[in-house]
């Protein structure tokens, strides 16, 4: 497995692989890899086959964090991550520095960003201004560097996957975006690097996101026909905030394709949740 730190070297390698006829499968990550990432890596391998090359990027992208978010304490473990990637048969890990990814940023020279303007506006975009501008910018840069045929994203970041798909369609990136299912802990908590912040009673209370999803699913099944979104939202908020450390950021019911809010909830509606457990903000989602 090659470990590559420079933008120039990864682009050179990717172009060489492409010229030799290898397909490239790409898994962009911010590191601190867990079972969810492993499933994305396996999905990428399946997509490109044994002759293909799988690249994982490990980069905590500063432009997608707001000023009061957890950039400085975001968990990192490059050595552990490299061990996981090697065990999964990854061909190359790309782990660049900020200076290489954002040349001239310190001097105020870096000034080109990619902005998706419609799907990004609400939900995570409203709660975390600038977040998606950072995501689309870094993903566009990574696509230019890694030259993937296929890129695999996790369904836990439902809106991110929709925004990246839109960006690829709008800007003609020749990349097939695959969205792989969320991987959960045995008690239902969606795997996330941020789960590291949770211990003891906070970790137990964090399962309330999954329990809220199950509750919403049961309500839709029982309700036959459509339920009022406002009423179900209020019920879920009460349920979630009955955990002492939980505070709802948003509970939204949307059309899974347009991400537009729906007023009536029925089978096929997408439920999106963002909840603070103590200081840790968790997101989850499910098709009802
Ligand atoms: O989902 C993530 O880990 C990040 O948003 C991504 C796609 C690697 C971009 O930094």
């Amino acid at each position: 497995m090659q470990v590559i730190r420079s933008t120039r070297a990864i682009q050179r390698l990717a172009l060489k692989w492409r010229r030799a006829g290898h397909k490239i499968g790409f898994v962009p990550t911010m590191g601190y890899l867990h079972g969810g990432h492993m499933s994305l890596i396996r999905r990428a391998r399946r997509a490109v086959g044994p002759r293909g090359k799988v690249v994982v990027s490990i980069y905590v992208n500063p432009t997608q964090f707001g000023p009061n978010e957890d950039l400085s304490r975001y968990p990192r473990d490059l050595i552990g991550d490299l061990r996981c990637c090697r065990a999964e048969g990854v061909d190359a890990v790309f782990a660049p520095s900020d200076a290489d990814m954002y040349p001239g940023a310190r001097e105020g020279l870096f000034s080109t960003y990619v902005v998706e303007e419609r799907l990004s506006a609400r939900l995570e975009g409203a709660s975390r201004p600038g977040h998606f501008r950072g995501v689309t910018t870094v993903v566009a840069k990574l696509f230019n560097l890694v030259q993937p045929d296929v890129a695999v994203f996790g369904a836990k970041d439902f809106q991110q996957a929709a925004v990246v798909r839109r960006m690829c369609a709008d800007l003609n990136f020749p990349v097939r975006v695959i969205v792989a299912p969320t991987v959960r802990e045995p008690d239902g908590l969606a795997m996330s690097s941020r789960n590291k912040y949770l211990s003891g009673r906070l970790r137990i209370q964090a399962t309330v996101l999954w329990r809220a999803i199950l509750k919403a699913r049961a309500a839709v099944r029982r309700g036959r026909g459509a339920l009022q979104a406002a009423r179900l939202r209020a019920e879920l908020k009460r349920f979630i905030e009955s955990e002492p450390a939980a505070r709802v950021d948003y509970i939204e019911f949307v059309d899974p394709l347009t991400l537009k809010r729906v007023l009536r909830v029925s089978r096929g509606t997408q439920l999106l949740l963002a909840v603070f457990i103590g200081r840790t903000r968790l997101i989850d989602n499910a098709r009802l």
Side-chain angles (χ1 to χ4, degrees), residues 77-132:
D77 175 16
L78 185 59
I79 301 212
D81 290 347
L82 293 180
R83 200 179 313 118
C84 292
C85 288
R86 215 168 270 121
E88 288 298 330
V90 167
D91 295 287
V93 168
F94 173 49
S97 65
D98 289 341
D100 208 2
M101 280 301 274
Y102 291 101
R106 275 170 173 246
E107 301 77 33
L109 298 175
F110 185 92
S111 51
T112 307
Y113 293 87
V114 177
V115 181
E116 191 285 330
E117 294 191 330
R118 190 172 50 87
L119 300 172
S120 301
R122 297 185 49 244
L123 303 158
E124 287 301 282
S127 287
R128 305 181 63 189
H131 169 67
F132 283 120

Short mmCIF file of all heavy atoms in Angstrom, two decimals, residues 77-132:
data_model
loop_
_atom_site.label_atom_id
_atom_site.label_comp_id
_atom_site.label_asym_id
_atom_site.label_seq_id
_atom_site.Cartn_x
_atom_site.Cartn_y
_atom_site.Cartn_z
N ASP A 77 -6.00 9.52 14.06
CA ASP A 77 -5.16 8.36 14.38
C ASP A 77 -4.64 7.78 13.07
O ASP A 77 -5.10 6.73 12.60
CB ASP A 77 -5.99 7.31 15.15
CG ASP A 77 -5.19 6.03 15.41
OD1 ASP A 77 -3.95 6.05 15.28
OD2 ASP A 77 -5.82 4.99 15.73
N LEU A 78 -3.67 8.47 12.49
CA LEU A 78 -3.20 8.07 11.15
C LEU A 78 -2.61 6.66 11.16
O LEU A 78 -2.86 5.87 10.26
CB LEU A 78 -2.18 9.09 10.61
CG LEU A 78 -1.73 8.81 9.17
CD1 LEU A 78 -2.89 8.81 8.19
CD2 LEU A 78 -0.67 9.81 8.73
N ILE A 79 -1.89 6.33 12.25
CA ILE A 79 -1.25 5.00 12.28
C ILE A 79 -2.32 3.90 12.28
O ILE A 79 -2.25 2.94 11.50
CB ILE A 79 -0.33 4.90 13.51
CG1 ILE A 79 0.70 6.02 13.36
CG2 ILE A 79 0.29 3.50 13.63
CD1 ILE A 79 2.04 5.83 13.86
N GLY A 80 -3.33 4.08 13.14
CA GLY A 80 -4.43 3.10 13.18
C GLY A 80 -5.15 3.05 11.84
O GLY A 80 -5.51 1.97 11.35
N ASP A 81 -5.36 4.22 11.22
CA ASP A 81 -6.07 4.27 9.94
C ASP A 81 -5.29 3.51 8.86
O ASP A 81 -5.86 2.77 8.06
CB ASP A 81 -6.26 5.72 9.48
CG ASP A 81 -7.25 6.47 10.35
OD1 ASP A 81 -7.97 5.81 11.13
OD2 ASP A 81 -7.30 7.71 10.25
N LEU A 82 -3.97 3.68 8.86
CA LEU A 82 -3.15 3.00 7.84
C LEU A 82 -3.23 1.49 8.04
O LEU A 82 -3.31 0.72 7.07
CB LEU A 82 -1.69 3.48 7.90
CG LEU A 82 -1.49 4.96 7.52
CD1 LEU A 82 -0.01 5.33 7.62
CD2 LEU A 82 -2.00 5.27 6.12
N ARG A 83 -3.26 1.09 9.32
CA ARG A 83 -3.35 -0.35 9.61
C ARG A 83 -4.67 -0.90 9.03
O ARG A 83 -4.69 -1.93 8.37
CB ARG A 83 -3.29 -0.56 11.14
CG ARG A 83 -2.90 -1.96 11.52
CD ARG A 83 -2.81 -2.18 13.03
NE ARG A 83 -2.09 -1.16 13.77
CZ ARG A 83 -2.64 -0.39 14.72
NH1 ARG A 83 -3.91 -0.52 15.06
NH2 ARG A 83 -1.91 0.53 15.34
N CYS A 84 -5.77 -0.17 9.27
CA CYS A 84 -7.08 -0.63 8.76
C CYS A 84 -7.06 -0.71 7.24
O CYS A 84 -7.57 -1.67 6.64
CB CYS A 84 -8.18 0.35 9.13
SG CYS A 84 -8.54 0.41 10.87
N CYS A 85 -6.49 0.31 6.59
CA CYS A 85 -6.50 0.35 5.13
C CYS A 85 -5.67 -0.80 4.56
O CYS A 85 -6.06 -1.44 3.58
CB CYS A 85 -5.95 1.69 4.62
SG CYS A 85 -7.11 3.03 4.91
N ARG A 86 -4.54 -1.05 5.21
CA ARG A 86 -3.69 -2.15 4.73
C ARG A 86 -4.47 -3.47 4.84
O ARG A 86 -4.49 -4.26 3.91
CB ARG A 86 -2.42 -2.21 5.60
CG ARG A 86 -1.20 -2.62 4.82
CD ARG A 86 0.10 -2.41 5.57
NE ARG A 86 0.68 -1.10 5.36
CZ ARG A 86 0.93 -0.20 6.32
NH1 ARG A 86 0.65 -0.49 7.58
NH2 ARG A 86 1.45 0.97 6.03
N ALA A 87 -5.15 -3.65 5.98
CA ALA A 87 -5.90 -4.90 6.19
C ALA A 87 -7.02 -5.05 5.16
O ALA A 87 -7.40 -6.17 4.83
CB ALA A 87 -6.48 -4.92 7.61
N GLU A 88 -7.54 -3.94 4.66
CA GLU A 88 -8.64 -4.00 3.67
C GLU A 88 -8.12 -4.08 2.24
O GLU A 88 -8.91 -4.05 1.30
CB GLU A 88 -9.55 -2.78 3.81
CG GLU A 88 -10.42 -2.78 5.05
CD GLU A 88 -11.39 -3.97 5.10
OE1 GLU A 88 -11.81 -4.45 4.04
OE2 GLU A 88 -11.70 -4.41 6.21
N GLY A 89 -6.81 -4.11 2.07
CA GLY A 89 -6.26 -4.24 0.71
C GLY A 89 -6.35 -2.96 -0.10
O GLY A 89 -6.41 -3.00 -1.34
N VAL A 90 -6.33 -1.81 0.59
CA VAL A 90 -6.34 -0.52 -0.11
C VAL A 90 -5.01 -0.36 -0.88
O VAL A 90 -3.96 -0.76 -0.39
CB VAL A 90 -6.53 0.61 0.94
CG1 VAL A 90 -6.24 1.99 0.36
CG2 VAL A 90 -7.94 0.54 1.53
N ASP A 91 -5.07 0.21 -2.07
CA ASP A 91 -3.85 0.37 -2.87
C ASP A 91 -3.07 1.63 -2.50
O ASP A 91 -1.85 1.63 -2.51
CB ASP A 91 -4.20 0.40 -4.36
CG ASP A 91 -4.79 -0.93 -4.79
OD1 ASP A 91 -4.02 -1.89 -4.90
OD2 ASP A 91 -6.03 -1.02 -4.96
N ALA A 92 -3.80 2.72 -2.21
CA ALA A 92 -3.08 3.95 -1.84
C ALA A 92 -3.92 4.76 -0.86
O ALA A 92 -5.14 4.85 -0.99
CB ALA A 92 -2.80 4.80 -3.07
N VAL A 93 -3.21 5.30 0.14
CA VAL A 93 -3.83 6.25 1.06
C VAL A 93 -3.26 7.62 0.73
O VAL A 93 -2.04 7.78 0.61
CB VAL A 93 -3.54 5.88 2.53
CG1 VAL A 93 -3.92 7.01 3.46
CG2 VAL A 93 -4.29 4.62 2.92
N PHE A 94 -4.15 8.59 0.59
CA PHE A 94 -3.71 9.96 0.33
C PHE A 94 -4.00 10.78 1.59
O PHE A 94 -5.15 10.92 2.00
CB PHE A 94 -4.48 10.51 -0.88
CG PHE A 94 -4.24 11.96 -1.15
CD1 PHE A 94 -2.94 12.46 -1.22
CD2 PHE A 94 -5.30 12.84 -1.35
CE1 PHE A 94 -2.71 13.81 -1.46
CE2 PHE A 94 -5.07 14.19 -1.60
CZ PHE A 94 -3.78 14.67 -1.66
N ALA A 95 -2.94 11.26 2.22
CA ALA A 95 -3.09 12.00 3.49
C ALA A 95 -2.31 13.32 3.39
O ALA A 95 -1.18 13.42 3.84
CB ALA A 95 -2.58 11.15 4.65
N PRO A 96 -2.92 14.31 2.77
CA PRO A 96 -2.18 15.55 2.50
C PRO A 96 -2.16 16.50 3.70
O PRO A 96 -2.89 16.30 4.68
CB PRO A 96 -3.01 16.19 1.37
CG PRO A 96 -4.41 15.73 1.66
CD PRO A 96 -4.30 14.36 2.26
N SER A 97 -1.33 17.53 3.60
CA SER A 97 -1.31 18.58 4.62
C SER A 97 -2.25 19.71 4.18
O SER A 97 -2.61 19.80 3.00
CB SER A 97 0.10 19.15 4.74
OG SER A 97 0.43 19.78 3.51
N ASP A 98 -2.61 20.59 5.13
CA ASP A 98 -3.45 21.75 4.77
C ASP A 98 -2.72 22.62 3.75
O ASP A 98 -3.33 23.12 2.81
CB ASP A 98 -3.74 22.60 6.02
CG ASP A 98 -4.72 21.90 6.96
OD1 ASP A 98 -5.43 20.98 6.51
OD2 ASP A 98 -4.76 22.27 8.15
N ALA A 99 -1.42 22.79 3.93
CA ALA A 99 -0.68 23.69 3.04
C ALA A 99 -0.71 23.19 1.61
O ALA A 99 -0.77 23.97 0.66
CB ALA A 99 0.76 23.81 3.53
N ASP A 100 -0.70 21.86 1.45
CA ASP A 100 -0.72 21.31 0.09
C ASP A 100 -2.13 21.36 -0.49
O ASP A 100 -2.32 21.60 -1.68
CB ASP A 100 -0.19 19.87 0.14
CG ASP A 100 0.45 19.47 -1.19
OD1 ASP A 100 0.50 20.32 -2.10
OD2 ASP A 100 0.87 18.31 -1.30
N MET A 101 -3.14 21.12 0.35
CA MET A 101 -4.52 21.12 -0.16
C MET A 101 -5.02 22.53 -0.45
O MET A 101 -5.81 22.74 -1.36
CB MET A 101 -5.47 20.44 0.84
CG MET A 101 -5.43 18.93 0.78
SD MET A 101 -5.86 18.28 -0.86
CE MET A 101 -7.63 18.21 -0.79
N TYR A 102 -4.62 23.48 0.37
CA TYR A 102 -5.09 24.86 0.18
C TYR A 102 -3.89 25.78 0.00
O TYR A 102 -3.57 26.59 0.89
CB TYR A 102 -5.97 25.29 1.37
CG TYR A 102 -7.29 24.54 1.40
CD1 TYR A 102 -7.48 23.47 2.26
CD2 TYR A 102 -8.33 24.90 0.55
CE1 TYR A 102 -8.69 22.76 2.28
CE2 TYR A 102 -9.54 24.20 0.55
CZ TYR A 102 -9.70 23.14 1.42
OH TYR A 102 -10.90 22.45 1.42
N PRO A 103 -3.23 25.70 -1.16
CA PRO A 103 -2.00 26.47 -1.34
C PRO A 103 -2.29 27.97 -1.25
O PRO A 103 -3.29 28.44 -1.80
CB PRO A 103 -1.55 26.08 -2.75
CG PRO A 103 -2.75 25.50 -3.42
CD PRO A 103 -3.60 24.91 -2.34
N GLY A 104 -1.45 28.66 -0.51
CA GLY A 104 -1.59 30.11 -0.41
C GLY A 104 -2.67 30.55 0.57
O GLY A 104 -2.91 31.75 0.72
N ALA A 105 -3.32 29.59 1.25
CA ALA A 105 -4.45 29.97 2.12
C ALA A 105 -3.97 30.90 3.25
O ALA A 105 -4.64 31.87 3.60
CB ALA A 105 -5.12 28.74 2.70
N ARG A 106 -2.79 30.60 3.79
CA ARG A 106 -2.28 31.42 4.91
C ARG A 106 -2.05 32.86 4.49
O ARG A 106 -2.22 33.78 5.29
CB ARG A 106 -0.94 30.86 5.40
CG ARG A 106 -1.12 29.76 6.40
CD ARG A 106 0.19 29.07 6.68
NE ARG A 106 0.00 28.13 7.77
CZ ARG A 106 0.58 28.25 8.95
NH1 ARG A 106 1.43 29.21 9.18
NH2 ARG A 106 0.35 27.37 9.89
N GLU A 107 -1.66 33.03 3.25
CA GLU A 107 -1.39 34.39 2.74
C GLU A 107 -2.66 35.01 2.17
O GLU A 107 -2.60 36.10 1.58
CB GLU A 107 -0.31 34.37 1.65
CG GLU A 107 1.04 33.79 2.06
CD GLU A 107 1.06 32.26 2.12
OE1 GLU A 107 0.35 31.63 1.32
OE2 GLU A 107 1.76 31.71 2.99
N GLY A 108 -3.79 34.30 2.28
CA GLY A 108 -5.05 34.84 1.75
C GLY A 108 -5.16 34.73 0.24
O GLY A 108 -5.95 35.45 -0.38
N LEU A 109 -4.39 33.83 -0.37
CA LEU A 109 -4.40 33.74 -1.84
C LEU A 109 -5.43 32.73 -2.36
O LEU A 109 -5.97 32.90 -3.44
CB LEU A 109 -3.00 33.34 -2.36
CG LEU A 109 -1.90 34.35 -2.04
CD1 LEU A 109 -0.54 33.81 -2.49
CD2 LEU A 109 -2.20 35.67 -2.73
N PHE A 110 -5.68 31.67 -1.58
CA PHE A 110 -6.62 30.64 -2.06
C PHE A 110 -8.01 31.27 -2.15
O PHE A 110 -8.52 31.79 -1.16
CB PHE A 110 -6.63 29.44 -1.10
CG PHE A 110 -7.48 28.32 -1.62
CD1 PHE A 110 -6.93 27.31 -2.39
CD2 PHE A 110 -8.85 28.29 -1.39
CE1 PHE A 110 -7.72 26.28 -2.90
CE2 PHE A 110 -9.64 27.28 -1.90
CZ PHE A 110 -9.08 26.27 -2.66
N SER A 111 -8.63 31.23 -3.33
CA SER A 111 -9.88 31.99 -3.47
C SER A 111 -10.89 31.37 -4.43
O SER A 111 -11.77 32.05 -4.92
CB SER A 111 -9.55 33.41 -3.93
OG SER A 111 -8.71 33.37 -5.07
N THR A 112 -10.77 30.04 -4.66
CA THR A 112 -11.73 29.39 -5.56
C THR A 112 -12.49 28.31 -4.79
O THR A 112 -11.87 27.41 -4.23
CB THR A 112 -11.00 28.76 -6.76
OG1 THR A 112 -10.18 29.76 -7.37
CG2 THR A 112 -11.99 28.21 -7.78
N TYR A 113 -13.81 28.42 -4.78
CA TYR A 113 -14.63 27.45 -4.05
C TYR A 113 -15.72 26.92 -4.96
O TYR A 113 -16.09 27.55 -5.95
CB TYR A 113 -15.27 28.13 -2.83
CG TYR A 113 -14.24 28.52 -1.79
CD1 TYR A 113 -13.59 29.75 -1.88
CD2 TYR A 113 -13.88 27.65 -0.78
CE1 TYR A 113 -12.62 30.11 -0.95
CE2 TYR A 113 -12.91 28.00 0.15
CZ TYR A 113 -12.28 29.23 0.07
OH TYR A 113 -11.33 29.57 0.98
N VAL A 114 -16.24 25.74 -4.62
CA VAL A 114 -17.36 25.15 -5.36
C VAL A 114 -18.59 25.23 -4.46
O VAL A 114 -18.55 24.78 -3.31
CB VAL A 114 -17.06 23.68 -5.71
CG1 VAL A 114 -18.24 23.04 -6.42
CG2 VAL A 114 -15.80 23.59 -6.56
N VAL A 115 -19.66 25.81 -4.98
CA VAL A 115 -20.87 26.00 -4.16
C VAL A 115 -22.08 25.40 -4.86
O VAL A 115 -22.41 25.81 -5.98
CB VAL A 115 -21.12 27.50 -3.89
CG1 VAL A 115 -22.35 27.68 -3.02
CG2 VAL A 115 -19.92 28.14 -3.24
N GLU A 116 -22.74 24.46 -4.21
CA GLU A 116 -24.03 23.95 -4.68
C GLU A 116 -25.07 24.81 -3.96
O GLU A 116 -25.00 24.97 -2.75
CB GLU A 116 -24.16 22.46 -4.32
CG GLU A 116 -25.34 21.75 -4.97
CD GLU A 116 -26.68 22.10 -4.36
OE1 GLU A 116 -26.73 22.41 -3.15
OE2 GLU A 116 -27.68 22.08 -5.08
N GLU A 117 -26.01 25.35 -4.72
CA GLU A 117 -26.82 26.42 -4.12
C GLU A 117 -28.22 26.02 -3.68
O GLU A 117 -28.90 26.81 -3.07
CB GLU A 117 -26.95 27.57 -5.14
CG GLU A 117 -25.62 28.23 -5.41
CD GLU A 117 -25.75 29.51 -6.17
OE1 GLU A 117 -26.71 29.64 -6.96
OE2 GLU A 117 -24.89 30.40 -5.97
N ARG A 118 -28.68 24.82 -4.05
CA ARG A 118 -30.09 24.51 -3.77
C ARG A 118 -30.21 23.48 -2.64
O ARG A 118 -30.72 23.79 -1.58
CB ARG A 118 -30.75 24.00 -5.06
CG ARG A 118 -32.25 23.88 -4.99
CD ARG A 118 -32.83 23.56 -6.36
NE ARG A 118 -32.12 22.45 -6.99
CZ ARG A 118 -32.43 21.16 -6.81
NH1 ARG A 118 -33.44 20.82 -6.06
NH2 ARG A 118 -31.73 20.21 -7.41
N LEU A 119 -29.66 22.26 -2.88
CA LEU A 119 -29.83 21.22 -1.87
C LEU A 119 -29.07 21.55 -0.58
O LEU A 119 -29.40 21.07 0.49
CB LEU A 119 -29.30 19.88 -2.43
CG LEU A 119 -29.99 19.37 -3.69
CD1 LEU A 119 -29.26 18.17 -4.25
CD2 LEU A 119 -31.44 19.00 -3.38
N SER A 120 -28.03 22.39 -0.73
CA SER A 120 -27.18 22.73 0.42
C SER A 120 -27.79 23.74 1.37
O SER A 120 -27.27 23.95 2.46
CB SER A 120 -25.88 23.39 -0.05
OG SER A 120 -25.18 22.59 -0.89
N ALA A 121 -28.86 24.38 0.91
CA ALA A 121 -29.31 25.56 1.66
C ALA A 121 -29.93 25.22 3.01
O ALA A 121 -29.79 25.98 3.97
CB ALA A 121 -30.29 26.35 0.80
N ARG A 122 -30.61 24.07 3.11
CA ARG A 122 -31.36 23.79 4.33
C ARG A 122 -30.64 22.75 5.22
O ARG A 122 -29.53 22.39 4.95
CB ARG A 122 -32.74 23.27 3.96
CG ARG A 122 -33.57 24.31 3.19
CD ARG A 122 -34.96 23.83 2.93
NE ARG A 122 -35.57 23.32 4.15
CZ ARG A 122 -35.95 22.05 4.34
NH1 ARG A 122 -35.82 21.16 3.39
NH2 ARG A 122 -36.47 21.66 5.47
N LEU A 123 -31.32 22.31 6.26
CA LEU A 123 -30.85 21.21 7.11
C LEU A 123 -29.42 21.46 7.60
O LEU A 123 -29.17 22.45 8.26
CB LEU A 123 -30.97 19.88 6.32
CG LEU A 123 -32.40 19.57 5.82
CD1 LEU A 123 -32.37 18.60 4.64
CD2 LEU A 123 -33.22 19.00 6.94
N GLU A 124 -28.47 20.59 7.22
CA GLU A 124 -27.09 20.81 7.68
C GLU A 124 -26.56 22.16 7.22
O GLU A 124 -25.79 22.82 7.91
CB GLU A 124 -26.18 19.71 7.12
CG GLU A 124 -26.34 18.36 7.75
CD GLU A 124 -26.08 18.42 9.24
OE1 GLU A 124 -24.92 18.45 9.65
OE2 GLU A 124 -27.06 18.41 10.02
N GLY A 125 -26.98 22.57 6.02
CA GLY A 125 -26.50 23.85 5.47
C GLY A 125 -26.97 25.02 6.30
O GLY A 125 -26.23 26.00 6.49
N ALA A 126 -28.19 24.93 6.82
CA ALA A 126 -28.72 26.03 7.64
C ALA A 126 -28.10 26.01 9.03
O ALA A 126 -27.77 27.05 9.61
CB ALA A 126 -30.24 25.91 7.74
N SER A 127 -27.90 24.79 9.57
CA SER A 127 -27.33 24.69 10.93
C SER A 127 -25.84 24.96 10.93
O SER A 127 -25.28 25.37 11.95
CB SER A 127 -27.54 23.28 11.48
OG SER A 127 -28.87 23.09 11.83
N ARG A 128 -25.17 24.67 9.79
CA ARG A 128 -23.71 24.80 9.74
C ARG A 128 -23.34 25.65 8.52
O ARG A 128 -22.89 25.10 7.49
CB ARG A 128 -23.07 23.40 9.64
CG ARG A 128 -23.49 22.44 10.74
CD ARG A 128 -22.80 21.09 10.60
NE ARG A 128 -21.36 21.20 10.72
CZ ARG A 128 -20.51 20.22 10.46
NH1 ARG A 128 -20.94 19.04 10.05
NH2 ARG A 128 -19.19 20.40 10.60
N PRO A 129 -23.53 26.97 8.60
CA PRO A 129 -23.28 27.82 7.44
C PRO A 129 -21.85 27.60 6.90
O PRO A 129 -20.90 27.55 7.66
CB PRO A 129 -23.45 29.24 7.98
CG PRO A 129 -24.25 29.09 9.24
CD PRO A 129 -23.93 27.73 9.80
N GLY A 130 -21.75 27.46 5.58
CA GLY A 130 -20.43 27.28 4.96
C GLY A 130 -19.98 25.83 4.90
O GLY A 130 -19.02 25.51 4.20
N HIS A 131 -20.67 24.95 5.62
CA HIS A 131 -20.23 23.55 5.68
C HIS A 131 -20.16 22.92 4.29
O HIS A 131 -19.14 22.35 3.89
CB HIS A 131 -21.17 22.75 6.59
CG HIS A 131 -20.97 21.27 6.53
ND1 HIS A 131 -19.82 20.67 7.00
CD2 HIS A 131 -21.74 20.25 6.02
CE1 HIS A 131 -19.90 19.36 6.81
NE2 HIS A 131 -21.05 19.09 6.20
N PHE A 132 -21.25 23.03 3.53
CA PHE A 132 -21.27 22.35 2.24
C PHE A 132 -20.33 23.01 1.22
O PHE A 132 -19.86 22.35 0.31
CB PHE A 132 -22.69 22.21 1.70
CG PHE A 132 -23.45 21.11 2.39
CD1 PHE A 132 -24.62 21.38 3.09
CD2 PHE A 132 -22.98 19.81 2.37
CE1 PHE A 132 -25.30 20.37 3.74
CE2 PHE A 132 -23.66 18.78 3.02
CZ PHE A 132 -24.83 19.06 3.71
#
